[in-house]
Amino acid sequence: MSMLSRRQFVQGGSVVAAMLLAGCGSSSSGADASSAPADGEYKLVNEGKLTCISNLFFPPFESMNEASGEPEGFDIDVSKELAKHMGLEINWLPSQDFDTLVPTIKQGGKADIAIAGMTITDARKAEVDMSEPYVDSNQSIVVKSGSTETAETLDDASKTIAVQGGTTGADWADENLPNATKKRLSTIIDAMSGCQSGLYDAVVCDLPVSSYQIKESYTDLQIIEEIPTGEQYGIAISKDNPGLTAAVNAALAEMEEDGTMAAIEMEWFGSEI
Ligand code: ARG
């Protein structure tokens, strides 16, 4: 079956209508594969499924549960509830590098959404659509416990700052620690482990992730600076699929209303964030 013919065109401006139609199976609206979906409709790469991509090394937002081999975390729960509110099944693809997520969504054909603790930025909005924000975030600088480093002492060529490539943390370090040596890694876990073992002098990464990681796993690391960048996370969707962005936004709004989002925040952060 060709990719195009498997695309599903879901009708309806309301989530209820989308759920009813999705329940009926594939499109019977006569939409041929070459025509663009009409207002309020959206296409999916796999019929009846919300297919998601992420970089699955960003706890507590996303990580792989070693025991079950399944992804888990805040964003995973959000994706499952999104799918449920949209009357779809959930379909998670294997982890990929963070900086390939926006290009993959832009190119189309592989996944419907990227949900990855992804900050809404103008640069990303030029490439893909971003949903309404669903989490607020900031940056942080992490060093070994007992270290006397400060943002000032770290801004030196002899100091190595580990970041995840393609992230807003990497951008922040480039702009604000211009003299330091930057090490771009493919996951923030590599950055934290390397800082722990003394390979890197500091890590710059999203504050909710560094605080969670220090509490859960890296108890010998500490945050020396919280940086109020005022970031907001959104879900990336192709610009060719505005109906899907609308449906995701509608489902997110319902999840705020019906307490689903608050429950997911309690589950992963022990409080509403
Ligand atoms: N919020 C940061 C950004 O958007 C970091 C996101 C990293 N996410 C991940 N799943 N590794 O650039």
Side-chain angles (χ1 to χ4, degrees):
M1 197 188 270
S2 82
M3 228 284 301
L4 279 177
S5 68
R6 270 191 288 134
R7 282 182 177 170
Q8 181 187 38
F9 294 83
V10 179
Q11 185 103 46
S14 79
V15 174
V16 174
M19 283 170 75
L20 288 174
L21 277 151
C24 296
S26 67
S27 156
S28 55
S29 61
D32 70 86
S34 59
S35 70
D39 278 358
E41 297 180 335
Y42 57 80
K43 46 193 176 182
L44 296 167
V45 295
N46 293 294
E47 192 176 318
K49 293 182 182 171
L50 186 64
T51 301
C52 308
I53 48 170
S54 192
N55 171 260
L56 296 170
F57 298 92
F58 201 60
F61 290 98
E62 40 265 337
S63 58
M64 280 303 286
N65 181 306
E66 297 298 334
S68 69
E70 298 288 333
E72 66 175 13
F74 185 101
D75 282 343
I76 313 303
D77 286 353
V78 170
S79 74
K80 286 180 181 163
E81 286 295 333
L82 270 180
K84 209 192 266 178
H85 281 73
M86 294 166 74
L88 301 171
E89 276 176 51
I90 189 74
N91 180 31
W92 269 93
L93 298 183
S95 182
Q96 54 185 79
D97 278 346
F98 183 76
D99 56 8
T100 66
L101 296 173
V102 165
T104 302
I105 292 296
K106 182 177 180 179
Q107 192 183 341
K110 181 175 174 189
D112 303 307
I113 67 170
I115 176 161
M118 187 184 286
T119 303
I120 301 170
T121 64
D122 288 342
R124 289 174 185 152
K125 282 202 305 199
E127 305 293 315
V128 291
D129 278 343
M130 297 294 294
S131 73
E132 292 297 327
Y134 66 97
V135 164
D136 293 333
S137 186
N138 287 303
Q139 291 298 317
S140 61
I141 303 179
V142 175
V143 298
K144 257 186 144 156
S145 299
S147 153
T148 55
E149 298 286 1
T150 65
E152 290 70 41
T153 62
L154 286 168
D155 190 20
D156 186 279
S158 67
K159 304 291 166 65
T160 306
I161 316 292
V163 294
Q164 185 180 22
T167 62
T168 47
D171 291 344
W172 188 89
D174 283 343
E175 278 160 35
N176 297 281
L177 302 171
N179 301 310
T181 305
K182 262 76 76 188
K183 180 78 183 166
R184 284 163 199 283
L185 300 163
S186 69
T187 76
I188 215 65
I189 308 291
D190 295 343
M192 296 266 184
S193 310
C195 187
Q196 189 175 45
S197 68
L199 212 51
Y200 315 122
D201 297 291
V203 177
V204 175
C205 89
D206 293 22
L207 178 60
V209 172
S210 57
S211 15
Y212 181 90
Q213 283 288 91
I214 289 172
K215 195 160 106 243
E216 297 293 320
S217 326
Y218 297 93
T219 47
D220 52 350
L221 296 181
Q222 63 173 8
I223 294 168
I224 49 161
E225 200 161 315
E226 298 189 1
I227 307 150
T229 48
E231 293 171 51
Q232 292 186 305
Y233 295 165
I235 297 166
I237 303 164
S238 165
K239 284 189 186 290
D240 295 338
N241 210 358
L244 183 57
T245 307
V248 164
N249 282 335
L252 283 176
E254 278 195 0
M255 288 161 62
E256 293 288 353
E257 284 273 290
D258 67 14
T260 304
M261 206 53 108
I264 300 175
E265 292 172 8
M266 284 302 290
E267 165 80 17
W268 292 99
F269 291 97
S271 63
E272 291 184 29
I273 55 169

